[in-house]
């Protein structure tokens, strides 16, 4: 790993573009066979991968336990990655699809053919499974990928990328279909963010800090993913038992992920009756509660929520709680503080449910269900590359289709414009 | 007009976001009535608009004739703008649509509802008609718009924006639905490009230079539009008469626009027979031809094309001509030099047409038709906000639907994730 002041990735970018031209012409049958061969190769090379991973782990002893856990690859996790590739092989190929077609007034026959984006770049942290997941999804959708993972996982990532490239080579495909940037300096990610003309889209995967760094510095098109300051609003017409089930599930079932709930809003008319029940249930699962004044007047021993709490994604067993005057007060609070990810109302009032669905500005708006369902598998899309929280191109869980674009194919018989 | 070192547009951005919340809830009937009222107001205020425009023109005497022509507003052009608004009123409202819906394994009912993007920003040059066109399209699709036009048109743009805002006021709608940045300093466009959290998408409209400045400097999501280095490839199996009609139409029917052809490629097997005919026809329309060596050996008195010619969009009566060895040579040249806009093959060979359609990387790929058809009206979309040459979100002519995104509305009955 070298560190340069500035890094030239254009050779890598051109190789990726050339590879993309080949991938775009591959049949689904061929792509699926390659994905199966990649899965087989990962399993066959389990020892080599774990050895590389051990070397990464040896350098990560001083890092937080959570971080080390994400970095670790066990044989079981390698099997999971291989199975992930097999699942992607089993999904329909989005580029086999024509979205629509029509004949124009001039007699031109237009079809909107779904095609790969071309070159997808991924910047991510020290989670080596992303290397394989991202390579599988981009390959199946006909894209070349340029991967830039966290420096702490460089040995694991290099081992994984080499295995995938060996499969490509054995299948007579360009190895530049899957490229890993092995220089993990700051300069290499900066160069990737500005590789205009070569990178068709850059998707950052990881912490809010990483994503914001990409949004602020990239000149290539970016899809913003992952930040989730999700709310559950318990309406005055909510069923208490349902509210308890959903609030607890959304908060504690997997608190570290982006679709976990971070905030609880409750209508003032039911706060006195419901809050003690909800607080008790959450605390029974070890959740630290932080409340506004009205909440703390009802539930004792609660830390006071500060202004920053309303904008914070904890990714932890912490939940801030606020009593609201009305449905519209809840909607206003959510639209002011949310990250446009997933929001839920618990209510049996039809008009309230409709108003919440219409007025909340988010990728996914729920009535009477946990925000934890915002997920490619739960939606039925299969594996996902991330959850888009922006409005351009893709919104919500991004599956294979979101890794494609379209091309108008226009057939005429000599038409000229009058 | 003041010039600041740095400009704070957050107040404007927040007003736009608040207005967007109101617009998103408006019915199509109401939006169409407002668009008709805007058209009426433009006609009624023709004198005021032309007076403001005269003041702009008085300051533009030293600028190129083409520039002044685009800046000029006559009563006929004001009528055209008003009619444009009435046409937009007549188009279907994209936000009335549900794209798809399904029930998940967990029993959740999901619908993908089309919704406005929110706040659209437009940076453009001294073409006051863009003020009205962009306001009409963004309003109909339920978006608030922030307009930043060229400084030479500031008096015309201010007059137009005031008229539209008066209509909004009279209809009890927030005037921030249509805002014009009246500070035309460099700093104001820089600030707009970095108004993250307020601007959902920024669409530059104008020269390649303007568009590249936006791509390089914006941190908000951008849709790149308009650059068109379009090619016509005359295959060895082309009908000569059809080739002549299409090449002439694509080059001369309106040379200043992005879908006009800039390059002519011709298969070596027919170059000797076809090139003299094509060159004569183009020259009869005043086209200056620039050729590669093989072309100049066939057609006398032709300027030599330099390396930069192959990447240049002339927007003028100039065309560069190149003899290619094969279909694949043509495809490779186009994919190397094009701007991903519109490309055409003229051929009667079925396999050649299929190969060209599949392998050319562009928004619109034509067989036996002029590239001039890449246009919202010609496609049947109605008015367009631009032609997207990027792959994210929208590709090709962008109508009302491309000014929207989607939101998943998810109805459950108490589902929690296992």
């Amino acid at each position: 790993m070298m560190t340069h002041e500035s890094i030239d990735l254009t050779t890598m970018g051109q190789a990726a573009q050339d590879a993309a031209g080949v991938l775009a012409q591959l049949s689904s049958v061929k792509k699926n066979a390659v994905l199966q061969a990649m899965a087989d190769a990962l399993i066959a090379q389990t020892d080599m991968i774990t050895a590389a991973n051990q070397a990464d782990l040896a350098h990560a002893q001083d890092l937080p336990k959570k971080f080390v856990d994400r970095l670790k690859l066990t044989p079981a996790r390698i099997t999971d990655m291989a199975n992930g590739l097999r699942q992607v092989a089993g999904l329909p190929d989005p580029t086999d699809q024509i979205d629509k077609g029509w004949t124009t007034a001039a007699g031109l026959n237009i079809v909107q053919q779904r095609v790969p984006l071309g070159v997808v770049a991924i910047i991510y942290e020290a989670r080596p499974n992303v290397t394989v997941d991202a390579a599988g999804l981009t390959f199946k959708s006909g894209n070349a990928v340029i991967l830039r993972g966290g420096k702490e996982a460089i040995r694991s990532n290099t081992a994984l990328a080499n295995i995938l490239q060996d499969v490509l080579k054995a299948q007579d495909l360009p190895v530049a279909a899957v490229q890993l940037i092995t220089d993990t300096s700051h300069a290499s990610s900066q160069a990737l963010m500005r590789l205009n003309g070569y990178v068709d889209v850059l998707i950052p995967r990881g912490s809010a800090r990483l994503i914001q760094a990409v949004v602020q510095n990239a000149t290539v098109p970016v899809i913003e993913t992952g930040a989730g300051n999700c709310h559950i609003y318990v309406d005055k017409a909510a069923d208490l038992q349902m509210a308890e089930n959903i609030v607890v599930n959304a908060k504690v079932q997997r608190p570290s992920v982006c679709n976990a709930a971070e905030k609880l809003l409750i209508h003032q008319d039911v706060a006195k009756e419901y809050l003690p029940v909800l607080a008790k249930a959450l605390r029974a699962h070890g959740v630290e509660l932080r409340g506004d004044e009205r909440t703390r007047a009802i539930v004792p021993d609660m830390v006071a929520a500060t202004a920053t709490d309303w904008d914070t994604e904890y990714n932890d067993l912490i939940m801030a709680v606020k009593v609201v005057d009305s449905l519209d007060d809840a909607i206003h609070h959510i639209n002011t503080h949310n990250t446009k990810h997933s929001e839920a109302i618990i209510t049996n009032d039809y008009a309230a449910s409709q108003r919440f669905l219409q007025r909340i500005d988010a990728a996914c708006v729920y009535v009477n269900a946990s925000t934890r369902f915002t997920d490619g598998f739960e939606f039925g899309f299969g594996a996902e590359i991330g959850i888009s929280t922006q409005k351009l191109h893709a919104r919500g869980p991004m599956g294979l289709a979101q890794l494609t674009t379209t091309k108008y194919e226009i057939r005429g018989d000599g038409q000229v414009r009058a």
Side-chain angles (χ1 to χ4, degrees), chain A:
Chain A
M1 286 172 286
M2 297 167 297
T3 306
H4 300 289
E5 291 251 317
S6 94
I7 306 241
D8 185 0
L9 295 178
T10 54
T11 305
M12 195 175 234
Q14 187 58 55
Q17 281 289 342
D18 293 345
V22 176
L23 294 189
Q25 309 303 324
L26 288 188
S27 71
S28 313
V29 173
K30 174 74 176 175
K31 287 190 283 191
N32 294 341
V34 173
L35 288 166
Q36 294 287 359
M38 286 175 170
D40 293 343
L42 290 178
I43 298 293
Q45 305 272 8
T46 295
D47 291 348
M48 196 266 264
I49 298 167
T50 47
N53 187 246
Q54 285 299 326
D56 278 335
L57 289 170
H59 287 80
Q61 290 310 312
D62 300 335
L63 296 167
K65 193 179 164 299
K66 213 176 190 173
F67 185 96
V68 173
D69 181 58
R70 286 174 177 173
L71 177 57
K72 191 168 188 172
L73 291 178
T74 60
R77 284 187 177 178
I78 293 166
T79 303
D80 284 349
M81 291 194 294
N83 287 341
L85 291 176
R86 296 194 207 284
Q87 277 165 357
V88 170
L91 292 171
D93 184 340
T95 66
D96 284 344
Q97 190 180 309
I98 289 172
D99 281 12
K100 45 186 173 176
W102 69 98
T103 301
T104 71
L108 294 170
N109 172 258
I110 303 185
V111 297
Q112 188 178 23
Q113 171 71 48
R114 205 147 267 286
V115 296
L117 283 166
V119 175
V120 177
I122 316 271
I123 295 186
Y124 53 109
E125 290 163 343
R127 303 184 72 154
N129 64 305
V130 175
T131 305
V132 174
D133 293 352
L137 289 164
T138 50
F139 183 82
K140 176 65 182 260
S141 48
N143 298 289
V145 71
I146 300 178
L147 299 158
R148 166 61 172 77
K151 65 175 184 296
E152 300 84 356
I154 186 62
R155 298 166 193 84
S156 311
N157 287 340
T158 303
L160 293 168
N162 285 344
I163 292 167
L164 301 181
Q165 289 198 330
D166 285 346
V167 173
L168 291 167
K169 217 176 296 174
Q171 301 266 350
D172 282 324
L173 292 172
V175 294
V178 178
Q179 293 181 95
L180 176 74
I181 299 177
T182 54
D183 177 330
T184 56
S185 67
H186 178 69
S188 78
S189 61
Q190 289 292 318
L192 185 57
M193 292 182 210
R194 296 173 168 272
L195 202 56
N196 294 67
Y198 301 99
V199 169
D200 292 296
V201 61
L202 169 59
I203 305 174
R205 282 193 57 173
S207 67
R209 196 175 149 178
L210 168 75
I211 291 162
Q212 282 314 306
V214 170
V215 168
Q216 288 299 319
N217 292 297
T219 52
V220 299
V222 168
I223 296 181
E224 206 173 330
T225 64
N229 183 23
C230 304
H231 299 72
I232 309 270
Y233 164 59
V234 177
D235 188 46
K236 65 178 172 181
D239 176 282
L240 177 56
Q241 185 59 55
M242 186 192 285
E244 181 183 329
N245 293 345
I246 290 174
V247 169
V248 169
N249 181 261
K251 181 67 255 180
V252 313
Q253 198 250 353
R254 202 172 165 203
S256 63
V257 293
C258 62
N259 59 16
E262 304 288 9
K263 303 296 173 315
L264 170 62
L265 306 181
I266 188 159
H267 193 286
Q268 59 179 354
D269 290 2
V270 293
K272 212 164 176 178
E273 181 192 351
Y274 285 16
L275 264 185
V277 180
L278 297 173
K280 191 178 165 196
L282 287 164
R283 282 174 167 169
H285 286 87
V287 177
E288 176 196 331
L289 298 174
R290 302 180 185 177
D292 72 339
E293 250 181 69
R294 286 197 281 181
T295 302
R296 295 172 72 218
I298 296 167
V299 180
D301 306 324
M302 202 184 279
V303 180
T306 64
T308 55
D309 274 296
W310 308 119
D311 295 307
T312 302
E313 183 182 5
Y314 305 115
N315 289 135
D316 205 346
L317 285 175
I318 304 170
M319 190 169 220
V321 188
K322 185 182 168 74
V323 176
V324 295
D325 293 339
S326 63
L327 168 65
D328 281 356
D329 192 14
I331 291 170
H332 183 259
H333 179 91
I334 293 172
N335 282 341
T336 306
H337 297 283
N338 78 344
T339 53
K340 319 286 181 212
H341 192 299
S342 299
E343 311 298 340
I345 184 174
I346 318 299
T347 191
N348 283 319
D349 180 324
Y350 172 78
S353 74
Q354 289 292 101
R355 194 170 175 89
F356 192 85
L357 287 169
Q358 282 163 16
R359 294 188 178 244
I360 290 292
D361 186 16
C364 302
V365 189
Y366 291 85
V367 178
N368 295 345
S370 170
T371 53
R372 288 280 294 112
F373 286 102
T374 300
D375 172 277
F377 283 106
E378 293 294 336
F379 268 50
F381 299 166
E384 72 185 26
I385 194 91
I387 312 276
S388 167
T389 55
Q390 70 176 38
K391 294 180 180 177
L392 273 201
H393 186 72
R395 202 173 189 203
M398 294 177 61
L400 289 171
Q402 284 72 34
L403 290 171
T404 63
T405 181
T406 61
K407 168 163 91 172
Y408 290 112
E409 296 183 356
I410 304 142
R411 291 170 173 87
D413 50 13
Q415 282 86 348
V416 295
R417 188 148 167 199

